[in-house]
Amino acid sequence: MADPKGFMKIGKKPAGNRPVHERISDYSEVEQVLNSEDRKLQASRCMDCGIPFCHWGCPVDNLIPEWNDLLFQGDWKGASERLHSTNNFPEFTGRICPAPCEHSCVLNIGEEPVTIRENEAAIVEHAFAEGYIKPNPPQVRTGKKVAVIGSGPAGMAAADQLNKAGHTVTLFEKDEKIGGLLRFGIPDFKLNKHTIDRRLKIMMAEGLEIRTGVEVGRDISGKEILDSYDAVCLAIGAMQPRDLSLEGRELDGIHFAMDYLTQQNRVNNGVYVPYDNRITAEGRKVLVIGGGDTGSDCVGTAIRQGAESVTQIEILPKPPDKRADENPWPYYGKILKTSTSHEEGCQRRWSLSTLRFIGMQRRVTHVEVEVVTWEKMEGRFQMKAVPGTKSQIEADLILLAMGFVHPVHEGLLEELGVNLDMRKNVAVDGDLSTNIRKVFGTGDAVNGATLVVTAIASGRRAARKIDDYLLSSSK
Ligand SMILES: Cc1cc2nc3c(=O)[nH]c(=O)nc-3n(C[C@H](O)[C@H](O)[C@H](O)COP(=O)(O)OP(=O)(O)OC[C@H]3O[C@@H](n4cnc5c(N)ncnc54)[C@H](O)[C@@H]3O)c2cc1C
Ligand code: SF4
């Protein structure tokens, strides 16, 4: 136990963020770092409450009270080992996880949870700085070959686990670099891409083979992969964006959030994008449609690009500031979330439905919206337009950030004949096996768009099932 009275003596002290005026002129990470002594004191606030609700809240089952205790004692190496025993990439989750664990922390009953996510990031960064995280290749190879297709957090976690188990793993990625949405979706100001390269270097030194710029199902057929490998793991994400098929959708200046964010991430990485192809918010009145994390990332990016104004609209009502009675602790608190991007200057509006895009000379100039209400009928919320509330928002750059519907079906999934579930995701059984022999599924491709931590947990689970399959098939 960290310190039996730590939580009574020490208040919550988050590391805080860089000042707004400074951070909006670059793409460096917004969050600051706490000094080691303060970090240990923050760990001492964990009261090891007996039933670790935080552990229940964490999708990768992180052993939170255990590594908080080790951190408090100054055993950074031990804390890192304990952390890595359940999570392949704490440097990602430590930065960008929405920390459901903190919602479940007993101290969150008083709204002062342990800074679990920040402690996690501090442990892994300290471990990298001290050289505790080194390549540790498997001593024995099994002779089995596995292809992991898609290199987001699910594919990376599955590949890492399978490689550590001694299988020979090739990680295929259609983009030019490994990382999936970690690299090309999530902006640098939340997750700097050096963290991905640093981890990848270790994984490759441990024997992982990577093949980037290869779209399986196009550059190489699914059949060829099936013929060449003993098992295949589909970790292709849920990349099909939700569209708004409304009047005026064809106007210039309307883009999917992912096209916009991906381009800025590539530019930050030194890729040249010709001016005519640039999607930039510079000098524009930006409207982000969709109130979630992707929308918030568009807000932060648009502000850094020099937008004249940024507005974000959401069709759902504004969440409450405090938990509603039907959403008690230790469940994830459905409360208003204000991201660092929102703090940087953006107007947020709720309960607005988009009706049409209006333009002049082929470019969008306005969006017509209408206020809606949500009423519970027969157990389900139904949307109703409020008569007489139509209005127009002036905007000449529209970013569609309404989430993703399912994985892309064209190409690999169609070629292999993989069955889909009711939500058009990859259908798997309890062993994460698809209808095709030796083909498994993991991550957003199976679960729909979720979180990095859920993808890592799913990748680890897929690796376990594939390992079981390979061991049983070699008997
Ligand atoms: C803008 C944005 C911000 C987000 N922010 C957060 C956040 O702050 N915190 C959080 O927890 N989650 C966040 N998420 C969600 C999180 O990024 C995803 O849930 C997670 O990345 C899913 O992991 P995955 O490995 O299943 O898929 P992905 O990360 O989508 O990776 C799939 C990979 O498969 C590749 N691929 C697809 N088809 C093929 C093929 N045929 N051949 C080869 N490669 C292929 C793709 O190119 C891609 O690299 C965000 C998502 C977005 C879009
Ligand atoms: S991975 Fe997320 S939920 Fe789990 S301990 Fe870290 S911050 Fe909490």
Side-chain angles (χ1 to χ4, degrees):
M1 178 172 190
D3 177 355
K5 293 192 178 161
F7 71 99
M8 299 200 293
K9 294 185 291 194
I10 311 289
K12 181 181 175 190
K13 183 174 178 184
N17 302 316
R18 293 161 62 214
V20 171
H21 72 271
E22 179 195 303
R23 70 195 197 219
I24 58 170
S25 54
D26 62 46
Y27 287 86
S28 300
E29 283 181 0
V30 163
E31 194 165 85
Q32 302 186 125
V33 177
L34 210 59
N35 67 64
S36 297
E37 277 317 303
D38 272 338
R39 183 54 66 202
K40 285 198 254 175
L41 289 177
Q42 288 303 299
S44 80
R45 297 184 66 240
C46 177
M47 59 173 124
D48 193 8
C49 44
I51 297 173
F53 291 94
C54 56
H55 175 85
W56 167 82
C58 171
V60 278
D61 300 327
N62 271 345
L63 303 166
I64 299 161
E66 295 184 26
W67 45 254
N68 269 330
D69 181 26
L70 292 162
L71 172 56
F72 170 58
Q73 291 170 32
D75 183 357
W76 295 84
K77 190 163 188 271
S80 168
E81 283 165 7
R82 204 61 57 94
L83 183 52
H84 281 89
S85 69
T86 57
N87 186 355
N88 302 61
F89 313 120
E91 64 275 32
F92 305 154
T93 46
R95 283 176 167 81
I96 54 170
C97 186
C101 54
E102 293 183 19
H103 290 240
S104 307
C105 174
V106 170
L107 291 183
N108 197 30
I109 298 172
E111 296 179 6
E112 287 266 289
V114 174
T115 52
I116 301 172
R117 178 185 60 75
E118 289 188 16
N119 293 0
E120 179 176 0
I123 293 169
V124 64
E125 286 308 319
H126 194 99
F128 268 114
E130 293 296 326
Y132 300 149
I133 302 174
K134 292 198 266 274
N136 183 17
Q139 297 301 306
V140 184
R141 288 283 171 191
T142 61
K144 298 285 183 185
K145 288 171 67 187
V146 186
V148 178
I149 302 169
S151 72
M156 283 180 76
D160 193 32
Q161 291 293 98
L162 287 162
N163 183 49
K164 285 192 164 100
H167 306 302
T168 302
V169 184
T170 308
L171 182 57
F172 288 89
E173 172 52 55
K174 70 176 169 54
D175 287 329
E176 70 275 25
K177 286 197 171 188
I178 296 292
L181 290 176
L182 291 170
R183 187 178 298 273
F184 290 114
I186 297 171
D188 287 13
F189 55 80
K190 277 168 60 181
L191 177 77
N192 80 76
K193 307 312 174 214
H194 158 72
T195 56
I196 309 172
D197 297 332
R198 180 178 64 182
R199 180 61 72 170
L200 192 59
K201 208 168 150 195
I202 290 183
M203 290 165 69
M204 289 170 72
E206 289 173 337
L208 174 71
E209 191 195 332
I210 62 165
R211 289 189 60 188
T212 50
V214 180
E215 181 172 342
V216 181
R218 197 189 70 171
D219 302 318
I220 174 171
S221 71
K223 181 175 180 310
E224 206 177 325
I225 294 280
L226 284 183
D227 290 345
S228 315
Y229 291 88
D230 300 298
V232 178
C233 181
L234 302 177
I236 60 174
M239 294 287 203
Q240 191 73 47
R242 196 182 302 279
D243 204 350
L244 264 185
S245 306
L246 298 174
E247 180 188 328
R249 173 67 181 85
E250 73 293 345
L251 290 165
D252 287 345
I254 306 175
H255 302 273
F256 285 119
M258 264 307 285
D259 294 339
Y260 173 68
L261 295 171
T262 299
Q263 191 183 80
Q264 185 58 52
N265 275 334
R266 285 207 163 95
V267 170
N268 291 349
N269 194 35
V271 174
Y272 170 69
V273 178
Y275 184 77
D276 286 352
N277 296 346
R278 275 301 311 260
I279 312 171
T280 174
E282 191 178 351
R284 300 247 178 238
K285 295 184 179 71
V286 179
L287 178 70
V288 179
I289 302 181
D293 284 345
T294 304
S296 152
D297 290 347
C298 291
V299 169
T301 304
I303 288 169
R304 279 161 182 74
Q305 290 179 341
E308 189 184 316
S309 66
V310 185
T311 305
Q312 184 181 24
I313 62 171
E314 165 60 47
I315 199 165
L316 293 172
K318 185 178 180 183
D321 291 326
K322 300 247 174 215
R323 286 173 183 271
D325 289 345
E326 64 271 19
N327 174 223
W329 176 90
Y331 293 102
Y332 191 83
K334 294 176 195 151
I335 52 174
L336 179 66
K337 196 173 150 193
T338 300
S339 72
T340 56
S341 295
H342 294 135
E343 288 166 1
E344 291 163 3
C346 136
Q347 193 194 3
R348 300 170 79 186
R349 298 175 63 186
W350 287 267
S351 301
L352 281 185
S353 167
T354 308
L355 301 181
R356 65 183 173 118
F357 302 104
I358 302 161
M360 213 171 38
Q361 291 172 340
R362 294 193 21 222
R363 185 160 190 112
V364 69
T365 57
H366 292 79
V367 176
E368 188 172 77
V369 294
E370 184 173 38
V371 176
V372 293
T373 55
W374 292 87
E375 280 169 31
K376 210 167 191 177
M377 285 197 272
E378 293 165 9
R380 297 187 63 180
F381 279 100
Q382 306 246 350
M383 190 181 86
K384 265 194 180 169
V386 180
T389 59
K390 283 185 190 167
S391 64
Q392 291 185 2
I393 299 175
E394 193 183 353
D396 53 359
L397 178 66
I398 315 288
L399 300 169
L400 304 177
M402 299 154 308
F404 300 84
V405 281
H406 49 65
V408 173
H409 299 150
E410 297 75 35
L412 182 61
L413 296 185
E414 283 183 357
E415 189 213 317
L416 290 179
V418 172
N419 281 350
L420 304 174
D421 65 14
M422 276 163 60
R423 290 157 60 214
K424 300 195 176 161
N425 295 324
V426 170
V428 289
D429 62 16
D431 289 331
L432 298 188
S433 178
T434 69
N435 58 310
I436 313 291
R437 196 181 68 82
K438 74 179 178 181
V439 178
F440 296 76
T442 186
D444 281 7
V446 167
N447 301 319
T450 54
L451 295 172
V452 168
V453 63
T454 324
I456 295 173
S458 176
R460 289 173 66 88
R461 193 161 160 251
R464 245 184 340 263
K465 299 295 179 187
I466 293 170
D467 188 44
D468 289 348
Y469 165 80
L470 291 172
L471 293 181
S472 63
S473 63
S474 61
K475 277 178 193 158

